[in-house]
Amino acid sequence: RAKQVYDKIFSEKQYVNKAAQKEIVAMIKRTLKGTEGSFCPLNRPASQVESDYVNTRPVGSLFDPRDDMYAALGKFNLRMAVSGYVKWKCAFVTSVGVYVRDSYDFVGNQSLGYWNSRTKYAGGNFLKGDKVTNESFREHASKTGRGADFLVYSDIKITTLQTAEKVVLSP
């Protein structure tokens, strides 16, 4: 399911669609010193690129199979950041970075499947583990003082475009 969303990001060029173009213009105005030059290096941790992402796509639903991905992330977002250069009042996007951003907030009544720490099982079979829910985490946090809400980022998968995508910065 993540690969389908990832492939659609590139097949539909969602990193330079109308919504992304507005974000690219705002990001360049906010970060570029001067009127020309490079913008948004993607060789930084995703948590540092986060303030410059230009588009996002959700992955997953409550109806997904209870597999390893669901146990680890549940529903999450793929975020897009772009890198390139500005010249002649145009941005030229030369690379696209895609990364996972997920918030572990443990609110609501969400089942996280069945887990067994002894066998390292996480899945949907109630015979193989104990039921784990958001409430389980809240109880754990309350008892131990650990396990509070937090954000998780993956590494950034950087794709260099064969042809730069042009974004006009001003009319």
Side-chain angles (χ1 to χ4, degrees), residues 5-15 78 80:
V5 174
Y6 179 86
D7 290 346
K8 197 172 182 181
I9 287 169
F10 285 93
S11 69
E12 295 180 0
K13 297 184 180 182
Q14 294 173 354
Y15 48 86
L78 288 179
M80 296 158 251

Side-chain angles (χ1 to χ4, degrees), residues 136-157:
S136 306
F137 275 92
R138 290 192 300 269
E139 287 174 11
H140 171 76
S142 178
K143 288 178 186 173
T144 65
R146 298 183 355 219
D149 302 346
F150 56 95
L151 294 175
V152 175
Y153 298 96
S154 70
D155 291 338
I156 300 174
K157 180 170 175 44

Side-chain angles (χ1 to χ4, degrees), residues 38-163:
S38 298
F39 62 87
C40 194
L42 298 174
N43 59 346
R44 303 174 287 158
S47 59
Q48 292 177 13
V49 173
E50 174 71 4
S51 61
D52 298 328
Y53 82 92
V54 298
N55 216 335
T56 187
R57 289 293 179 263
V59 177
S61 77
L62 293 176
F63 304 107
D64 287 340
R66 299 304 192 253
D67 55 13
D68 292 351
M69 181 183 289
Y70 191 85
L73 296 169
K75 297 184 295 182
F76 60 94
N77 289 297
L78 288 179
R79 295 246 169 133
M80 296 158 251
V82 296
S83 182
Y85 61 93
V86 174
K87 193 167 183 123
W88 305 306
K89 296 187 179 186
C90 291
F92 295 89
V93 175
T94 57
S95 298
V96 179
V98 178
Y99 60 95
V100 170
R101 179 189 183 269
D102 190 24
S103 63
Y104 281 73
D105 51 24
F106 308 110
V107 296
N109 193 14
Q110 181 181 9
S111 172
L112 303 175
Y114 297 88
W115 296 13
N116 185 322
S117 60
R118 207 176 66 255
T119 64
K120 308 296 186 224
Y121 174 79
N125 188 335
F126 70 92
L127 296 173
K128 292 185 175 184
D130 297 320
K131 185 173 184 175
V132 178
T133 65
N134 280 347
E135 186 177 355
S136 306
F137 275 92
R138 290 192 300 269
E139 287 174 11
H140 171 76
S142 178
K143 288 178 186 173
T144 65
R146 298 183 355 219
D149 302 346
F150 56 95
L151 294 175
V152 175
Y153 298 96
S154 70
D155 291 338
I156 300 174
K157 180 170 175 44
I158 301 170
T159 300
T160 302
L161 302 176
Q162 290 183 338
T163 305

Side-chain angles (χ1 to χ4, degrees), residues 25-36:
V25 170
M27 179 262 296
I28 288 171
K29 285 180 181 178
R30 192 175 62 250
T31 62
L32 186 67
K33 295 171 181 30
T35 58
E36 294 188 351

